[in-house]
């Protein structure tokens, strides 16, 4: 699930790596053109979630919540091997926590710096997924409490 252009680019690059590892990978959910070029099946285009500022968020709030609820229902009806939310914490954190509670493994790829977050996001993140942060100077690092994890991305992945 990538909700904006930067997440789409990062998820597209991640898809490249995943497909090298698992050539038959099936990836579906919410994504943009970079992901779609790499074989991602977009149930909804990511530009439906790309809103900025309070006024624009309020204008689109019902539609965005509707998409999140529909996505959650589809993923619960047909559970993926793993759900990976790419950035977009306001959309992804609660969704990831709900999926994880139902036994679906989740990864949050590319966390923004904690200083940029509103304080309540830090608390919400503790109950949510495994985290995977990328850096230009190192390989991606993933963690869930004290357990290490492997990275993946998009929304639903099947090997």
């Amino acid at each position: 699930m990538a909700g904006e252009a930067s997440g789409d680019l990062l998820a597209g690059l991640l898809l490249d790596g995943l497909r090298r590892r698992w050539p038959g990978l099936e990836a579906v959910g919410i994504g943009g053109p970079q992901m779609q070029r790499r074989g991602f099946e977009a149930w909804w285009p990511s530009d439906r979630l790309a809103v900025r500022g309070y006024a624009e968020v309020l204008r689109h709030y019902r539609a965005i919540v509707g998409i999140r609820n529909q996505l959650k229902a589809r993923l619960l009806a047909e559970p993926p091997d793993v759900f990976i939310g790419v950035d977009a914490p306001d959309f992804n954190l609660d969704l990831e926590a709900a999926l994880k509670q139902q036994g679906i493994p989740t990864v949050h790829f590319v966390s923004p710096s904690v200083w940029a977050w509103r304080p309540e996001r830090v608390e919400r993140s503790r109950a949510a997924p495994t985290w995977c942060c990328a850096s230009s100077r190192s390989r991606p690092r993933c963690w869930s409490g004290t357990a290490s994890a492997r990275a993946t991305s998009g929304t639903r992945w099947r090997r």
Side-chain angles (χ1 to χ4, degrees):
M1 191 327 283
E4 58 186 53
S6 61
D8 180 46
L9 175 63
L10 292 169
L13 296 171
L14 186 55
L15 265 173
D16 289 341
L18 293 171
R19 290 204 189 282
R20 280 194 296 275
R21 169 82 181 191
W22 296 290
L25 182 75
E26 182 183 313
V28 299
I30 300 172
Q34 294 292 331
M35 295 168 70
Q36 290 175 34
R37 280 188 206 110
R38 291 158 167 97
F40 184 87
E41 180 187 337
W43 291 339
W44 294 273
S46 61
D47 62 5
R48 299 268 310 268
L49 305 180
V51 294
R52 289 201 172 12
Y54 291 112
E56 192 174 0
V57 169
L58 289 174
R59 274 197 312 273
H60 298 282
Y61 180 78
R62 290 173 93 161
I64 292 169
V65 170
I67 290 170
R68 184 172 56 188
N69 290 340
Q70 291 174 57
L71 177 61
K72 179 180 165 185
R74 282 182 88 165
L75 294 172
L76 291 175
E78 191 177 341
D81 292 332
V82 64
F83 172 90
I84 297 157
V86 181
D87 202 3
D90 286 323
F91 186 91
N92 282 321
L93 288 179
D94 291 336
L95 177 60
E96 291 162 351
L99 295 174
K100 187 174 181 179
Q101 187 175 36
Q102 296 299 315
I104 296 171
T106 63
V107 172
H108 191 87
F109 185 63
V110 187
S111 167
S113 299
V114 172
W115 64 264
W117 280 24
R118 295 184 304 272
E120 67 274 10
R121 283 186 180 164
V122 175
E123 288 303 316
R124 285 173 41 208
S125 71
R126 290 183 185 163
T130 298
W131 291 83
C132 186
C133 298
S135 165
S136 62
R137 289 170 277 194
S138 65
R139 294 174 13 153
R141 299 194 188 280
C142 302
W143 69 91
S144 175
T146 57
S148 63
R150 293 203 178 130
T152 46
S153 172
T155 296
R156 185 180 74 188
W157 308 98
R158 292 202 183 276
R159 292 182 280 175

